[in-house]
Amino acid sequence: YRILATTLATGLILTFNACKKDDPEAEVAQEEFKSVVFNFIELEADDDHFHETTDTVKIEFGADGNATRGHYDLHAGAVYRLKVVAYDFAGREMQDEFIEEADEHQMFITGAQEGVLDYVYEDDKVGVTGRLSTLKPSAGSMTLTAVLRHGLDKSKTTAADWDDANHVRFGGSADFTLKFPLHVVEGDHDDHH
């Protein structure tokens, strides 16, 4: 009786393990964010490099992916450092993870009017830190969309693709999709309503 019970138990364990091996692997969850903040810090040129000033336009996004205010201005003819800060639901910053996994992440910013913006990544072709140049005033407010893609084929994309509206062709999925209104203005017009 004892041998039969041991044999049955062993058979059940082997059967359970065999079924477990056939189960598909669970899909790894993408990052989830409680909030994201875009900090546009105005820069001053100093020979071949830039210094950050204290002038910052901060755009905060809610969990729905939309900016919390209806209007943001940047000055034409300026250079800004964009620093993206992403918070998880425990309040921890997550943006360093995107840079640590640079081979799997890239941010795209679309929706700008022709010739108004230029963006240069400063973080290993990811885009959560970079220099945004405002080349000329925009014709009114633009609705921009920032998309951080995860798991894309980085061999098919370059930093020059930062504004590629067809970025889905690089594969992967969106970790976040954020929309914000931006007006590039002439002079010192500071209207952040």
Side-chain angles (χ1 to χ4, degrees), residues 6 9 12 17 21 27 47 49 75-76 88 97 110 115-117 124-125 132-133 142-143 149-150 153 161 180:
T6 304
L12 288 174
N17 284 340
K21 286 180 185 175
E27 188 173 319
D47 294 328
H49 59 282
H75 304 295
D88 67 11
E97 294 176 24
T110 62
V116 173
L117 302 177
D124 195 19
K125 210 170 81 168
L132 181 80
S133 298
M142 307 176 288
T143 299
R149 294 197 69 78
H150 177 107
D153 185 349
D161 295 315
F180 60 104

Side-chain angles (χ1 to χ4, degrees), residues 94-105 124 126:
M94 301 178 65
Q95 66 277 1
D96 289 343
E97 294 176 24
F98 312 143
I99 298 166
E100 288 166 10
E101 298 174 4
D103 57 333
E104 296 181 15
H105 290 94
D124 195 19
V126 176

Side-chain angles (χ1 to χ4, degrees), residues 2-144:
R2 199 178 240 165
I3 294 172
L4 179 61
T6 304
T7 305
L8 283 174
T10 305
L12 288 174
I13 291 169
L14 290 174
T15 303
F16 178 76
N17 284 340
C19 289
K20 193 174 182 182
K21 286 180 185 175
D22 292 341
D23 290 344
E25 285 186 29
E27 188 173 319
V28 178
Q30 302 300 315
E31 289 87 349
E32 290 188 18
F33 309 100
K34 180 177 182 185
S35 64
V36 179
V37 178
F38 280 19
N39 297 287
F40 289 97
I41 305 161
E42 194 161 357
L43 301 177
E44 289 180 349
D46 184 10
D47 294 328
D48 61 344
H49 59 282
F50 294 94
H51 293 288
E52 292 184 0
T53 69
T54 57
D55 294 333
T56 301
V57 174
K58 183 182 284 194
I59 302 177
E60 297 179 10
F61 299 91
D64 63 357
N66 291 311
T68 56
R69 290 198 325 237
H71 186 91
Y72 300 90
D73 291 342
L74 296 181
H75 304 295
V79 179
Y80 295 85
R81 174 161 290 126
L82 171 59
K83 288 186 177 177
V84 175
V85 182
Y87 298 95
D88 67 11
F89 284 90
R92 293 181 301 248
E93 290 188 19
M94 301 178 65
Q95 66 277 1
D96 289 343
E97 294 176 24
F98 312 143
I99 298 166
E100 288 166 10
E101 298 174 4
D103 57 333
E104 296 181 15
H105 290 94
Q106 186 165 346
M107 190 173 78
F108 301 89
I109 302 172
T110 62
Q113 296 163 5
E114 184 71 31
V116 173
L117 302 177
D118 188 38
Y119 191 56
V120 177
Y121 296 150
E122 293 184 312
D123 57 10
D124 195 19
K125 210 170 81 168
V126 176
V128 294
T129 303
R131 286 191 319 274
L132 181 80
S133 298
T134 52
L135 306 176
K136 65 181 185 181
S138 60
S141 188
M142 307 176 288
T143 299
L144 302 185

